[in-house]
Structure formats: C-alpha cells, structure tokens
C-alpha cells in the first residue's frame, strides 16, 4: 500500500469516527406539553381518537374525559400483550392460556380464540394485528412467523424458521419486526420477505418507529436513533420511569404516578 493511499484511508477513518461520535453526543430536547395523574399498573398508549388505554389489576380500560370503558376476563389469567393499532378491533393476548380476545371500540368482546384448539397446532408467544382480518403470529412449535385469519379460522406460515430466539418484537399492519437475543434487528412482510435492518445497542426497553428509527432506554436514560450514525440522548425531566410510548411525534412517559407527554420531532 502506498503512503498516499494509507494517509487517505486514515483520514477517512477519522472522518467517519468523528461523524459517529458527534451524532452520539447530540441531544434532543423535547417540549413538555401536558401531564396528568394516573392510577394504573401499565399504560398502553393512545389511539387516534384521543382515548388512552391502561391496565389496573388485570382490568383493561379505555378512557377519555368522563368516558370509561372496561374489559376483564378472569378465566384467561393475566393480559400479556395489547395491540391498539386498530381501535375498532383491539387485540388482547393471554399467553398463559394460548388465547386472544378481540374487542370493539366499546371494549365488548367480538371474538375469543384458543389457539390450542386449532386444527394446526399453534403455541403463540408473539401476536399483533395485521391486514385483511389477520393476526401476526409467532408459533414456537415451528419457530416461524405466520398469519391467522380470525374470520376463516385459517393459519398459514409465511417465514422460514428463525434460528435465534426473539428478545423483542413489534408489529404494524404490514410488518413483523423483531430483535433477536444477539441484538440483530429484522423485519418480515406479509409475503414472508425477511430483511436485515442491522444491529441495535444493548437496551432495557425499545420502541420501533420505522425501519430506520427507534427509541430505546438504558439505565433510565432515553435515546433516539434516527440513522446509522446518529444516536441522540433525549433529555426528559424524569430520572426514573416505568415505560414510554411514542405516537405521532408525542413521547409519553409513564411513571408510578403520572403520564407526561412531550412533543418530539424526528427527521
């Protein structure tokens, strides 16, 4: 290698390193826009109609002002996961009983599905609402992602078997995202196409915004990752928090006593 080429490579390395370090040292300063007291064990989030969702003593609630709707099902044990993407078809997952309940917008039960009774054996440990009357399913029996049509009671696998266990997952109507135990990040679309989205830093909690963006927490500090070279600390007032939720540029922080809503703009 010539001396000139070696110097060019060194300069490129320094430039790239500086870019990453600069990106990581940036800070995001969200604006506190509201806060209110809350009495809940778990805050789920908001829908596009302004209703908030929470769980208290295993009772699922939908609240806006003086409007309160509730649903409980003691026969299915504890609620494991809630999907409020479609507020007209809310998904409650009860992992201990391998079951899911679909609720309407007033939290009336529409459908209850026990996957143990399905003609094709399914043991679910990940679920979410998808398109065309379908649910995303991760079936631990074959380690594959699938789609379950809850009107036709039909199940089909869409992915190849996963080789690593799932550490975190999140779904939207068209995509199943997951992070494996080695912090590798993937997505699978409804046709079964799997894409590698890179790796993520070690995290305590994480929320995916898009295939390029996510918010994660580590040691009670929040960070925003917007591209491969930019990880910025989000400066909030709370030193400890139980959970956070991001939707439509609003970052909600759930503490033991209240919900704080911040305006945060991502690129």
């Amino acid at each position: 290698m010539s001396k000139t080429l070696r110097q060019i490579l060194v300069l490129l390395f320094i430039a790239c390193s500086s870019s990453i370090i600069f990106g990581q040292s940036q800070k995001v300063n969200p604006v506190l826009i509201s806060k209110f007291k809350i009495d809940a064990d778990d805050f789920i989030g908001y829908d596009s109609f302004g209703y908030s969702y929470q769980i208290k003593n295993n009772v699922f609630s939908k609240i806006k002002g003086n409007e309160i709707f509730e649903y409980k099902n003691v026969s299915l044990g504890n609620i494991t996961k809630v999907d409020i993407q479609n507020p007209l078809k809310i998904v409650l997952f009860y992992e201990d009983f391998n079951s899911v309940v679909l609720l309407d917008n007033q939290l009336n039960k529409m459908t209850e599905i026990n996957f143990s009774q399905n003609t094709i054996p399914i043991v679910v440990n990940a679920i979410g609402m998808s398109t065309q009357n379908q649910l995303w399913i991760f079936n631990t029996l074959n380690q594959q992602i699938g789609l379950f049509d809850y009107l036709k009671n039909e199940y089909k696998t869409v992915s190849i078997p996963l080789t690593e266990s799932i550490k975190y997952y999140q779904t939207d109507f068209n995509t199943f995202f997951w992070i494996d135990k080695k912090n590798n990040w993937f997505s699978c679309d409804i046709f079964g196409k799997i894409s590698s989205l890179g790796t993520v830093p070690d995290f305590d909690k994480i929320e995916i915004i898009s295939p390029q963006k996510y918010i994660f927490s580590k040691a009670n500090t929040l960070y925003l990752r917007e591209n491969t070279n930019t990880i910025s600390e989000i400066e909030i007032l709370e030193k400890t928090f139980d959970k956070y939720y991001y939707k439509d540029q609003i970052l909600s922080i759930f503490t033991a006593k209240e919900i704080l809503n911040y305006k945060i703009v991502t690129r």
Side-chain angles (χ1 to χ4, degrees):
M1 183 184 296
S2 69
K3 182 179 180 181
T4 302
L5 179 58
R6 187 181 300 111
Q7 289 174 333
I8 291 172
L9 290 175
V10 169
L11 289 172
L12 284 173
F13 175 78
I14 292 172
C16 291
S17 300
S18 299
S19 174
I20 294 171
I21 293 170
F22 176 75
Q24 289 180 331
S25 66
Q26 288 183 346
K27 292 184 182 293
V28 176
N29 299 104
V31 178
L32 180 65
I33 56 175
S34 65
K35 62 179 179 178
F36 58 90
K37 301 293 183 182
I38 188 171
D39 181 22
D41 299 322
D42 191 13
F43 172 69
I44 306 302
Y46 298 100
D47 66 19
S48 54
F49 301 102
Y51 289 91
S52 64
Y53 297 82
Q54 62 188 51
I55 299 172
K56 175 72 174 180
N57 296 326
N58 208 37
V59 177
F60 178 61
S61 301
K62 172 182 178 178
I63 302 170
K64 185 169 80 168
N66 294 325
E67 282 188 279
I68 301 176
F69 303 97
E70 294 184 340
Y71 176 81
K72 61 180 178 179
N73 192 326
V74 295
S75 64
L76 292 179
N78 292 324
I79 301 169
T80 307
K81 181 82 172 181
V82 180
D83 188 322
I84 59 172
Q85 286 185 90
N86 182 351
L88 304 179
K89 292 179 182 176
I90 296 168
V91 181
L92 299 188
F93 177 40
Y94 297 84
E95 186 171 7
D96 290 344
F97 284 79
N98 201 29
S99 298
V100 69
V101 174
L102 301 183
L103 306 176
D104 67 14
N105 64 336
Q106 295 186 343
L107 304 195
N108 299 306
K109 183 170 72 174
M110 302 168 64
T111 306
E112 182 175 330
I113 305 162
N114 185 338
F115 294 105
S116 300
Q117 297 174 352
N118 197 64
T119 51
I120 300 175
I122 306 172
V123 175
V124 179
N125 79 343
I127 197 164
M129 181 61 73
S130 185
T131 59
Q132 300 175 336
N133 303 312
Q134 297 182 116
L135 296 169
W136 286 109
I137 296 288
F138 179 70
N139 185 0
T140 60
L141 293 180
N142 58 15
Q143 296 293 301
Q144 289 177 286
I145 300 165
L147 291 167
F148 185 88
D149 189 315
Y150 51 83
L151 293 183
K152 298 178 181 178
N153 205 38
E154 293 178 351
Y155 170 72
K156 63 180 180 181
T157 58
V158 296
S159 79
I160 59 174
L162 306 189
T163 56
E164 299 286 349
S165 60
I166 293 176
K167 179 179 179 180
Y168 172 82
Y169 76 93
Q170 190 176 316
T171 64
D172 60 33
F173 294 124
N174 297 304
T175 312
F176 185 106
F177 296 99
W178 79 96
I179 298 168
D180 67 22
K181 65 180 182 180
K182 294 182 178 178
N183 284 354
N184 296 309
W185 181 19
F186 300 94
S187 67
C188 177
D189 66 19
I190 57 176
F191 304 106
K193 179 184 176 182
I194 293 178
S195 301
S196 173
L197 303 176
T199 59
V200 302
D202 192 33
F203 61 89
D204 296 324
K205 298 181 178 68
I206 193 166
E207 184 168 350
I208 296 166
I209 301 173
S210 74
Q212 295 80 34
K213 304 176 188 177
Y214 53 81
I215 294 173
F216 70 98
S217 64
K218 185 66 180 177
N220 279 310
T221 301
L222 274 176
Y223 300 92
L224 170 66
R225 186 266 203 181
E226 295 190 89
N227 57 59
T228 53
N229 292 332
T230 306
I231 296 178
S232 306
E233 181 181 343
I234 303 174
E235 293 196 314
I236 57 175
L237 300 174
E238 297 68 45
K239 300 305 179 185
T240 61
F241 51 88
D242 297 324
K243 190 177 182 180
Y244 57 90
Y245 174 78
Y246 178 86
K247 181 179 175 67
D248 298 332
Q249 297 187 338
I250 302 298
L251 176 65
S252 301
I253 306 296
F254 173 49
T255 72
K257 297 180 179 180
E258 58 187 355
I259 298 291
L260 299 99
N261 297 307
Y262 291 88
K263 178 73 172 181
I264 180 170
V265 178
T266 64
R267 291 190 291 271

